[in-house]
């Protein structure tokens, strides 16, 4: 006895091309956000290796860091930065949709929620940058 339903042959499975996500801007941005996680995860693994190498001695760390001066690694880090920016901005956009803030009976506009998130992110980035410049 098989577990196949008698009407299974009548189900419709549309054929989707591999480039279906290029047809609409919304789908494209969604796929770019998903792809951003690969670059961010790769960057974090490299960063963890860098932290490990920093404890292995000055010569070992210098040799490790010398590898990152090649144009390929510079381009990788720039792409990872752009994907991190895309991921952050889309995260703030989605949190403004999900997070419904009420003040009394008034609902705070989504654009204001996103602006506050972006403003806090920019202020935190400036403070961190200031610490790097001062030290």
């Amino acid at each position: 006895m098989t577990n196949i339903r008698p009407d299974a042959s009548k189900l419709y499975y549309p054929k989707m091309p591999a480039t279906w996500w290029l047809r609409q801007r919304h789908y494209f941005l969604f796929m770019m956000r998903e792809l951003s996680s690969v670059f961010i995860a790769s960057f974090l693994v490299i960063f963890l290796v860098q932290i490990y190498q920093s404890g292995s001695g000055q010569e070992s760390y210098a040799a490790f860091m010398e590898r990152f001066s090649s144009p390929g690694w510079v381009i990788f880090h720039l792409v990872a930065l752009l994907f991190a920016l895309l991921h952050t901005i889309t995260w703030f956009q989605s949190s403004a949709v999900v997070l419904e803030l009420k003040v009394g009976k008034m609902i705070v506009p989504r654009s204001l929620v996103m602006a506050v998130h972006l403003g806090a992110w920019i202020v935190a980035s400036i403070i961190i940058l200031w610490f790097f410049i001062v030290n």
Side-chain angles (χ1 to χ4, degrees):
M1 172 140 183
T2 62
N3 291 333
I4 299 175
R5 296 186 346 223
D7 62 341
S9 63
K10 296 179 184 180
L11 295 176
Y12 174 68
Y13 294 102
K15 302 288 183 202
M16 295 289 287
T19 59
W20 64 268
W21 54 275
L22 294 173
R23 293 182 183 165
Q24 291 187 17
R25 183 177 179 268
H26 175 74
Y27 296 150
F28 177 76
L29 289 175
F30 173 78
M31 293 301 280
M32 289 297 103
R33 178 177 164 78
E34 295 301 308
L35 180 62
S36 72
S37 62
V38 173
F39 280 87
I40 292 169
S42 301
F43 172 80
L44 291 175
V45 168
I46 292 167
F47 185 61
L48 288 173
V49 171
Q50 181 181 3
I51 291 171
Y52 174 78
Q53 288 292 327
S54 69
S56 299
Q58 190 172 7
E59 291 176 9
S60 174
Y61 183 72
F64 177 77
M65 289 306 294
E66 188 176 321
R67 292 184 219 145
F68 288 111
S69 62
S70 71
W73 280 112
V74 172
I75 290 170
F76 168 79
H77 282 88
L78 287 174
V79 170
L81 173 65
L82 292 175
F83 273 129
L85 291 172
L86 172 70
H87 199 88
T88 303
I89 291 168
T90 56
W91 174 260
F92 288 148
Q93 287 174 339
S94 64
S95 67
V97 172
V98 173
L99 181 64
E100 185 177 282
L101 292 178
K102 291 183 180 181
V103 177
K105 292 187 178 187
M106 184 184 83
I107 297 175
V108 178
R110 292 178 178 168
S111 58
L112 182 59
V113 172
M114 187 176 161
V116 169
H117 282 138
L118 286 173
W121 175 50
I122 290 169
V123 168
S125 297
I126 290 171
I127 291 170
I128 292 169
L129 182 64
W130 180 78
F131 277 117
F132 277 109
I133 291 173
V134 169
N135 294 327

